[in-house]
mmCIF file with all atom_site columns, all heavy atoms in Angstrom:
data_model
loop_
_atom_site.group_PDB
_atom_site.id
_atom_site.type_symbol
_atom_site.label_atom_id
_atom_site.label_alt_id
_atom_site.label_comp_id
_atom_site.label_asym_id
_atom_site.label_entity_id
_atom_site.label_seq_id
_atom_site.pdbx_PDB_ins_code
_atom_site.Cartn_x
_atom_site.Cartn_y
_atom_site.Cartn_z
_atom_site.occupancy
_atom_site.B_iso_or_equiv
_atom_site.pdbx_formal_charge
_atom_site.auth_seq_id
_atom_site.auth_comp_id
_atom_site.auth_asym_id
_atom_site.auth_atom_id
_atom_site.pdbx_PDB_model_num
ATOM 1   N N   . LEU W 1 160 ? -16.870 13.137 6.074  1.00 0.00 ? 160 LEU W N   1
ATOM 2   C CA  . LEU W 1 160 ? -17.367 13.658 4.746  1.00 0.00 ? 160 LEU W CA  1
ATOM 3   C C   . LEU W 1 160 ? -17.418 15.119 4.589  1.00 0.00 ? 160 LEU W C   1
ATOM 4   O O   . LEU W 1 160 ? -18.312 15.752 4.199  1.00 0.00 ? 160 LEU W O   1
ATOM 5   C CB  . LEU W 1 160 ? -18.773 12.999 4.516  1.00 0.00 ? 160 LEU W CB  1
ATOM 6   C CG  . LEU W 1 160 ? -18.929 11.498 4.331  1.00 0.00 ? 160 LEU W CG  1
ATOM 7   C CD1 . LEU W 1 160 ? -20.360 11.042 4.223  1.00 0.00 ? 160 LEU W CD1 1
ATOM 8   C CD2 . LEU W 1 160 ? -18.006 10.994 3.232  1.00 0.00 ? 160 LEU W CD2 1
ATOM 9   N N   . ARG W 1 161 ? -16.302 15.719 5.115  1.00 0.00 ? 161 ARG W N   1
ATOM 10  C CA  . ARG W 1 161 ? -16.170 17.193 4.978  1.00 0.00 ? 161 ARG W CA  1
ATOM 11  C C   . ARG W 1 161 ? -15.030 17.515 4.095  1.00 0.00 ? 161 ARG W C   1
ATOM 12  O O   . ARG W 1 161 ? -13.911 17.699 4.453  1.00 0.00 ? 161 ARG W O   1
ATOM 13  C CB  . ARG W 1 161 ? -15.963 17.813 6.320  1.00 0.00 ? 161 ARG W CB  1
ATOM 14  C CG  . ARG W 1 161 ? -17.222 17.651 7.285  1.00 0.00 ? 161 ARG W CG  1
ATOM 15  C CD  . ARG W 1 161 ? -16.916 18.036 8.718  1.00 0.00 ? 161 ARG W CD  1
ATOM 16  N NE  . ARG W 1 161 ? -18.018 17.881 9.563  1.00 0.00 ? 161 ARG W NE  1
ATOM 17  C CZ  . ARG W 1 161 ? -17.960 17.902 10.863 1.00 0.00 ? 161 ARG W CZ  1
ATOM 18  N NH1 . ARG W 1 161 ? -16.854 18.225 11.513 1.00 0.00 ? 161 ARG W NH1 1
ATOM 19  N NH2 . ARG W 1 161 ? -19.076 17.695 11.575 1.00 0.00 ? 161 ARG W NH2 1
ATOM 20  N N   . THR W 1 162 ? -15.266 17.319 2.758  1.00 0.00 ? 162 THR W N   1
ATOM 21  C CA  . THR W 1 162 ? -14.266 17.308 1.792  1.00 0.00 ? 162 THR W CA  1
ATOM 22  C C   . THR W 1 162 ? -13.469 18.551 1.724  1.00 0.00 ? 162 THR W C   1
ATOM 23  O O   . THR W 1 162 ? -12.188 18.618 1.566  1.00 0.00 ? 162 THR W O   1
ATOM 24  C CB  . THR W 1 162 ? -14.867 16.970 0.390  1.00 0.00 ? 162 THR W CB  1
ATOM 25  O OG1 . THR W 1 162 ? -15.705 15.823 0.534  1.00 0.00 ? 162 THR W OG1 1
ATOM 26  C CG2 . THR W 1 162 ? -13.726 16.586 -0.559 1.00 0.00 ? 162 THR W CG2 1
ATOM 27  N N   . GLN W 1 163 ? -14.065 19.720 1.717  1.00 0.00 ? 163 GLN W N   1
ATOM 28  C CA  . GLN W 1 163 ? -13.367 20.964 1.577  1.00 0.00 ? 163 GLN W CA  1
ATOM 29  C C   . GLN W 1 163 ? -12.492 21.191 2.790  1.00 0.00 ? 163 GLN W C   1
ATOM 30  O O   . GLN W 1 163 ? -11.353 21.704 2.640  1.00 0.00 ? 163 GLN W O   1
ATOM 31  C CB  . GLN W 1 163 ? -14.382 22.089 1.447  1.00 0.00 ? 163 GLN W CB  1
ATOM 32  C CG  . GLN W 1 163 ? -15.191 22.176 0.193  1.00 0.00 ? 163 GLN W CG  1
ATOM 33  C CD  . GLN W 1 163 ? -14.351 22.174 -1.036 1.00 0.00 ? 163 GLN W CD  1
ATOM 34  O OE1 . GLN W 1 163 ? -13.344 22.977 -1.090 1.00 0.00 ? 163 GLN W OE1 1
ATOM 35  N NE2 . GLN W 1 163 ? -14.700 21.308 -2.037 1.00 0.00 ? 163 GLN W NE2 1
ATOM 36  N N   . ARG W 1 164 ? -12.867 20.869 3.988  1.00 0.00 ? 164 ARG W N   1
ATOM 37  C CA  . ARG W 1 164 ? -11.974 20.960 5.143  1.00 0.00 ? 164 ARG W CA  1
ATOM 38  C C   . ARG W 1 164 ? -10.834 20.007 5.057  1.00 0.00 ? 164 ARG W C   1
ATOM 39  O O   . ARG W 1 164 ? -9.657  20.355 5.368  1.00 0.00 ? 164 ARG W O   1
ATOM 40  C CB  . ARG W 1 164 ? -12.867 20.641 6.388  1.00 0.00 ? 164 ARG W CB  1
ATOM 41  C CG  . ARG W 1 164 ? -12.067 20.837 7.675  1.00 0.00 ? 164 ARG W CG  1
ATOM 42  C CD  . ARG W 1 164 ? -12.883 20.497 8.981  1.00 0.00 ? 164 ARG W CD  1
ATOM 43  N NE  . ARG W 1 164 ? -14.077 21.484 8.980  1.00 0.00 ? 164 ARG W NE  1
ATOM 44  C CZ  . ARG W 1 164 ? -14.959 21.465 9.936  1.00 0.00 ? 164 ARG W CZ  1
ATOM 45  N NH1 . ARG W 1 164 ? -14.905 20.628 10.972 1.00 0.00 ? 164 ARG W NH1 1
ATOM 46  N NH2 . ARG W 1 164 ? -15.951 22.308 9.956  1.00 0.00 ? 164 ARG W NH2 1
ATOM 47  N N   . ALA W 1 165 ? -10.999 18.834 4.466  1.00 0.00 ? 165 ALA W N   1
ATOM 48  C CA  . ALA W 1 165 ? -9.950  17.910 4.301  1.00 0.00 ? 165 ALA W CA  1
ATOM 49  C C   . ALA W 1 165 ? -8.964  18.427 3.288  1.00 0.00 ? 165 ALA W C   1
ATOM 50  O O   . ALA W 1 165 ? -7.764  18.361 3.396  1.00 0.00 ? 165 ALA W O   1
ATOM 51  C CB  . ALA W 1 165 ? -10.549 16.496 3.792  1.00 0.00 ? 165 ALA W CB  1
ATOM 52  N N   . ARG W 1 166 ? -9.446  18.990 2.203  1.00 0.00 ? 166 ARG W N   1
ATOM 53  C CA  . ARG W 1 166 ? -8.498  19.539 1.192  1.00 0.00 ? 166 ARG W CA  1
ATOM 54  C C   . ARG W 1 166 ? -7.665  20.670 1.794  1.00 0.00 ? 166 ARG W C   1
ATOM 55  O O   . ARG W 1 166 ? -6.442  20.765 1.468  1.00 0.00 ? 166 ARG W O   1
ATOM 56  C CB  . ARG W 1 166 ? -9.308  20.093 -0.013 1.00 0.00 ? 166 ARG W CB  1
ATOM 57  C CG  . ARG W 1 166 ? -9.907  18.955 -0.878 1.00 0.00 ? 166 ARG W CG  1
ATOM 58  C CD  . ARG W 1 166 ? -10.522 19.498 -2.116 1.00 0.00 ? 166 ARG W CD  1
ATOM 59  N NE  . ARG W 1 166 ? -11.301 18.528 -2.867 1.00 0.00 ? 166 ARG W NE  1
ATOM 60  C CZ  . ARG W 1 166 ? -10.776 17.521 -3.618 1.00 0.00 ? 166 ARG W CZ  1
ATOM 61  N NH1 . ARG W 1 166 ? -9.404  17.505 -3.754 1.00 0.00 ? 166 ARG W NH1 1
ATOM 62  N NH2 . ARG W 1 166 ? -11.525 16.671 -4.200 1.00 0.00 ? 166 ARG W NH2 1
ATOM 63  N N   . ALA W 1 167 ? -8.292  21.561 2.581  1.00 0.00 ? 167 ALA W N   1
ATOM 64  C CA  . ALA W 1 167 ? -7.613  22.679 3.168  1.00 0.00 ? 167 ALA W CA  1
ATOM 65  C C   . ALA W 1 167 ? -6.478  22.235 4.086  1.00 0.00 ? 167 ALA W C   1
ATOM 66  O O   . ALA W 1 167 ? -5.322  22.652 4.130  1.00 0.00 ? 167 ALA W O   1
ATOM 67  C CB  . ALA W 1 167 ? -8.517  23.635 3.870  1.00 0.00 ? 167 ALA W CB  1
ATOM 68  N N   . ALA W 1 168 ? -6.763  21.173 4.906  1.00 0.00 ? 168 ALA W N   1
ATOM 69  C CA  . ALA W 1 168 ? -5.810  20.578 5.788  1.00 0.00 ? 168 ALA W CA  1
ATOM 70  C C   . ALA W 1 168 ? -4.676  19.910 5.032  1.00 0.00 ? 168 ALA W C   1
ATOM 71  O O   . ALA W 1 168 ? -3.558  19.987 5.489  1.00 0.00 ? 168 ALA W O   1
ATOM 72  C CB  . ALA W 1 168 ? -6.488  19.587 6.698  1.00 0.00 ? 168 ALA W CB  1
ATOM 73  N N   . LEU W 1 169 ? -4.976  19.250 3.941  1.00 0.00 ? 169 LEU W N   1
ATOM 74  C CA  . LEU W 1 169 ? -3.902  18.619 3.225  1.00 0.00 ? 169 LEU W CA  1
ATOM 75  C C   . LEU W 1 169 ? -3.012  19.603 2.505  1.00 0.00 ? 169 LEU W C   1
ATOM 76  O O   . LEU W 1 169 ? -1.825  19.408 2.350  1.00 0.00 ? 169 LEU W O   1
ATOM 77  C CB  . LEU W 1 169 ? -4.544  17.672 2.160  1.00 0.00 ? 169 LEU W CB  1
ATOM 78  C CG  . LEU W 1 169 ? -5.070  16.374 2.653  1.00 0.00 ? 169 LEU W CG  1
ATOM 79  C CD1 . LEU W 1 169 ? -5.760  15.665 1.517  1.00 0.00 ? 169 LEU W CD1 1
ATOM 80  C CD2 . LEU W 1 169 ? -3.988  15.461 3.235  1.00 0.00 ? 169 LEU W CD2 1
ATOM 81  N N   . THR W 1 170 ? -3.629  20.749 2.084  1.00 0.00 ? 170 THR W N   1
ATOM 82  C CA  . THR W 1 170 ? -2.754  21.846 1.511  1.00 0.00 ? 170 THR W CA  1
ATOM 83  C C   . THR W 1 170 ? -1.819  22.411 2.599  1.00 0.00 ? 170 THR W C   1
ATOM 84  O O   . THR W 1 170 ? -0.645  22.725 2.307  1.00 0.00 ? 170 THR W O   1
ATOM 85  C CB  . THR W 1 170 ? -3.657  22.969 0.997  1.00 0.00 ? 170 THR W CB  1
ATOM 86  O OG1 . THR W 1 170 ? -4.560  22.459 -0.017 1.00 0.00 ? 170 THR W OG1 1
ATOM 87  C CG2 . THR W 1 170 ? -2.885  24.103 0.509  1.00 0.00 ? 170 THR W CG2 1
ATOM 88  N N   . ARG W 1 171 ? -2.303  22.570 3.835  1.00 0.00 ? 171 ARG W N   1
ATOM 89  C CA  . ARG W 1 171 ? -1.387  22.993 4.897  1.00 0.00 ? 171 ARG W CA  1
ATOM 90  C C   . ARG W 1 171 ? -0.376  21.967 5.244  1.00 0.00 ? 171 ARG W C   1
ATOM 91  O O   . ARG W 1 171 ? 0.835   22.271 5.458  1.00 0.00 ? 171 ARG W O   1
ATOM 92  C CB  . ARG W 1 171 ? -2.234  23.343 6.178  1.00 0.00 ? 171 ARG W CB  1
ATOM 93  C CG  . ARG W 1 171 ? -3.158  24.598 5.901  1.00 0.00 ? 171 ARG W CG  1
ATOM 94  C CD  . ARG W 1 171 ? -3.797  25.005 7.221  1.00 0.00 ? 171 ARG W CD  1
ATOM 95  N NE  . ARG W 1 171 ? -4.612  23.974 7.891  1.00 0.00 ? 171 ARG W NE  1
ATOM 96  C CZ  . ARG W 1 171 ? -5.930  23.821 7.752  1.00 0.00 ? 171 ARG W CZ  1
ATOM 97  N NH1 . ARG W 1 171 ? -6.611  24.640 6.899  1.00 0.00 ? 171 ARG W NH1 1
ATOM 98  N NH2 . ARG W 1 171 ? -6.515  22.940 8.347  1.00 0.00 ? 171 ARG W NH2 1
ATOM 99  N N   . ALA W 1 172 ? -0.770  20.750 5.188  1.00 0.00 ? 172 ALA W N   1
ATOM 100 C CA  . ALA W 1 172 ? 0.191   19.512 5.419  1.00 0.00 ? 172 ALA W CA  1
ATOM 101 C C   . ALA W 1 172 ? 1.258   19.499 4.417  1.00 0.00 ? 172 ALA W C   1
ATOM 102 O O   . ALA W 1 172 ? 2.438   19.268 4.762  1.00 0.00 ? 172 ALA W O   1
ATOM 103 C CB  . ALA W 1 172 ? -0.561  18.236 5.530  1.00 0.00 ? 172 ALA W CB  1
ATOM 104 N N   . GLU W 1 173 ? 0.842   19.698 3.165  1.00 0.00 ? 173 GLU W N   1
ATOM 105 C CA  . GLU W 1 173 ? 1.869   19.738 2.068  1.00 0.00 ? 173 GLU W CA  1
ATOM 106 C C   . GLU W 1 173 ? 2.880   20.803 2.246  1.00 0.00 ? 173 GLU W C   1
ATOM 107 O O   . GLU W 1 173 ? 4.097   20.617 2.030  1.00 0.00 ? 173 GLU W O   1
ATOM 108 C CB  . GLU W 1 173 ? 1.133   19.756 0.780  1.00 0.00 ? 173 GLU W CB  1
ATOM 109 C CG  . GLU W 1 173 ? 2.158   19.686 -0.427 1.00 0.00 ? 173 GLU W CG  1
ATOM 110 C CD  . GLU W 1 173 ? 1.412   19.750 -1.764 1.00 0.00 ? 173 GLU W CD  1
ATOM 111 O OE1 . GLU W 1 173 ? 0.185   20.035 -1.821 1.00 0.00 ? 173 GLU W OE1 1
ATOM 112 O OE2 . GLU W 1 173 ? 2.097   19.577 -2.787 1.00 0.00 ? 173 GLU W OE2 1
ATOM 113 N N   . ARG W 1 174 ? 2.406   21.924 2.600  1.00 0.00 ? 174 ARG W N   1
ATOM 114 C CA  . ARG W 1 174 ? 3.253   23.102 2.785  1.00 0.00 ? 174 ARG W CA  1
ATOM 115 C C   . ARG W 1 174 ? 4.210   22.910 3.935  1.00 0.00 ? 174 ARG W C   1
ATOM 116 O O   . ARG W 1 174 ? 5.424   23.220 3.775  1.00 0.00 ? 174 ARG W O   1
ATOM 117 C CB  . ARG W 1 174 ? 2.375   24.407 3.063  1.00 0.00 ? 174 ARG W CB  1
ATOM 118 C CG  . ARG W 1 174 ? 3.216   25.724 2.985  1.00 0.00 ? 174 ARG W CG  1
ATOM 119 C CD  . ARG W 1 174 ? 2.394   26.805 3.324  1.00 0.00 ? 174 ARG W CD  1
ATOM 120 N NE  . ARG W 1 174 ? 1.178   26.915 2.525  1.00 0.00 ? 174 ARG W NE  1
ATOM 121 C CZ  . ARG W 1 174 ? -0.182  26.860 2.911  1.00 0.00 ? 174 ARG W CZ  1
ATOM 122 N NH1 . ARG W 1 174 ? -0.345  26.778 4.186  1.00 0.00 ? 174 ARG W NH1 1
ATOM 123 N NH2 . ARG W 1 174 ? -1.179  26.935 2.058  1.00 0.00 ? 174 ARG W NH2 1
ATOM 124 N N   . ALA W 1 175 ? 3.732   22.395 5.008  1.00 0.00 ? 175 ALA W N   1
ATOM 125 C CA  . ALA W 1 175 ? 4.566   22.114 6.134  1.00 0.00 ? 175 ALA W CA  1
ATOM 126 C C   . ALA W 1 175 ? 5.596   20.947 5.812  1.00 0.00 ? 175 ALA W C   1
ATOM 127 O O   . ALA W 1 175 ? 6.766   21.018 6.342  1.00 0.00 ? 175 ALA W O   1
ATOM 128 C CB  . ALA W 1 175 ? 3.763   21.638 7.367  1.00 0.00 ? 175 ALA W CB  1
ATOM 129 N N   . ALA W 1 176 ? 5.221   19.876 5.193  1.00 0.00 ? 176 ALA W N   1
ATOM 130 C CA  . ALA W 1 176 ? 6.032   18.811 4.827  1.00 0.00 ? 176 ALA W CA  1
ATOM 131 C C   . ALA W 1 176 ? 7.233   19.320 3.948  1.00 0.00 ? 176 ALA W C   1
ATOM 132 O O   . ALA W 1 176 ? 8.372   18.878 4.082  1.00 0.00 ? 176 ALA W O   1
ATOM 133 C CB  . ALA W 1 176 ? 5.313   17.758 4.144  1.00 0.00 ? 176 ALA W CB  1
ATOM 134 N N   . ARG W 1 177 ? 6.931   20.228 2.953  1.00 0.00 ? 177 ARG W N   1
ATOM 135 C CA  . ARG W 1 177 ? 7.937   20.780 2.078  1.00 0.00 ? 177 ARG W CA  1
ATOM 136 C C   . ARG W 1 177 ? 8.928   21.569 2.920  1.00 0.00 ? 177 ARG W C   1
ATOM 137 O O   . ARG W 1 177 ? 10.109  21.538 2.657  1.00 0.00 ? 177 ARG W O   1
ATOM 138 C CB  . ARG W 1 177 ? 7.341   21.544 0.965  1.00 0.00 ? 177 ARG W CB  1
ATOM 139 C CG  . ARG W 1 177 ? 6.586   20.631 -0.086 1.00 0.00 ? 177 ARG W CG  1
ATOM 140 C CD  . ARG W 1 177 ? 6.132   21.443 -1.268 1.00 0.00 ? 177 ARG W CD  1
ATOM 141 N NE  . ARG W 1 177 ? 5.355   20.662 -2.172 1.00 0.00 ? 177 ARG W NE  1
ATOM 142 C CZ  . ARG W 1 177 ? 5.944   19.810 -3.081 1.00 0.00 ? 177 ARG W CZ  1
ATOM 143 N NH1 . ARG W 1 177 ? 7.215   19.718 -3.131 1.00 0.00 ? 177 ARG W NH1 1
ATOM 144 N NH2 . ARG W 1 177 ? 5.187   19.149 -3.855 1.00 0.00 ? 177 ARG W NH2 1
ATOM 145 N N   . GLU W 1 178 ? 8.397   22.293 3.787  1.00 0.00 ? 178 GLU W N   1
ATOM 146 C CA  . GLU W 1 178 ? 9.276   23.178 4.660  1.00 0.00 ? 178 GLU W CA  1
ATOM 147 C C   . GLU W 1 178 ? 10.176  22.246 5.618  1.00 0.00 ? 178 GLU W C   1
ATOM 148 O O   . GLU W 1 178 ? 11.343  22.521 5.867  1.00 0.00 ? 178 GLU W O   1
ATOM 149 C CB  . GLU W 1 178 ? 8.430   23.996 5.667  1.00 0.00 ? 178 GLU W CB  1
ATOM 150 C CG  . GLU W 1 178 ? 9.149   25.072 6.438  1.00 0.00 ? 178 GLU W CG  1
ATOM 151 C CD  . GLU W 1 178 ? 8.259   25.944 7.318  1.00 0.00 ? 178 GLU W CD  1
ATOM 152 O OE1 . GLU W 1 178 ? 7.025   25.931 7.066  1.00 0.00 ? 178 GLU W OE1 1
ATOM 153 O OE2 . GLU W 1 178 ? 8.768   26.541 8.217  1.00 0.00 ? 178 GLU W OE2 1
ATOM 154 N N   . ALA W 1 179 ? 9.623   21.079 6.029  1.00 0.00 ? 179 ALA W N   1
ATOM 155 C CA  . ALA W 1 179 ? 10.397  20.174 6.831  1.00 0.00 ? 179 ALA W CA  1
ATOM 156 C C   . ALA W 1 179 ? 11.449  19.435 6.002  1.00 0.00 ? 179 ALA W C   1
ATOM 157 O O   . ALA W 1 179 ? 12.502  19.003 6.436  1.00 0.00 ? 179 ALA W O   1
ATOM 158 C CB  . ALA W 1 179 ? 9.497   19.209 7.440  1.00 0.00 ? 179 ALA W CB  1
ATOM 159 N N   . ALA W 1 180 ? 11.177  19.331 4.651  1.00 0.00 ? 180 ALA W N   1
ATOM 160 C CA  . ALA W 1 180 ? 12.058  18.698 3.713  1.00 0.00 ? 180 ALA W CA  1
ATOM 161 C C   . ALA W 1 180 ? 12.397  17.230 4.088  1.00 0.00 ? 180 ALA W C   1
ATOM 162 O O   . ALA W 1 180 ? 13.499  16.761 3.998  1.00 0.00 ? 180 ALA W O   1
ATOM 163 C CB  . ALA W 1 180 ? 13.312  19.439 3.573  1.00 0.00 ? 180 ALA W CB  1
ATOM 164 N N   . ILE W 1 181 ? 11.388  16.480 4.582  1.00 0.00 ? 181 ILE W N   1
ATOM 165 C CA  . ILE W 1 181 ? 11.538  15.058 4.957  1.00 0.00 ? 181 ILE W CA  1
ATOM 166 C C   . ILE W 1 181 ? 10.764  14.242 3.875  1.00 0.00 ? 181 ILE W C   1
ATOM 167 O O   . ILE W 1 181 ? 9.575   14.322 3.795  1.00 0.00 ? 181 ILE W O   1
ATOM 168 C CB  . ILE W 1 181 ? 10.976  14.775 6.368  1.00 0.00 ? 181 ILE W CB  1
ATOM 169 C CG1 . ILE W 1 181 ? 11.742  15.580 7.409  1.00 0.00 ? 181 ILE W CG1 1
ATOM 170 C CG2 . ILE W 1 181 ? 11.107  13.306 6.632  1.00 0.00 ? 181 ILE W CG2 1
ATOM 171 C CD1 . ILE W 1 181 ? 11.182  15.481 8.859  1.00 0.00 ? 181 ILE W CD1 1
#
Side-chain angles (χ1 to χ4, degrees):
L160 296 177
R161 297 170 182 169
T162 314
Q163 294 304 316
R164 184 177 298 183
R166 290 188 189 282
L169 285 174
T170 299
R171 296 191 297 269
E173 182 181 8
R174 190 182 307 123
R177 291 187 182 280
E178 187 179 345
I181 300 176

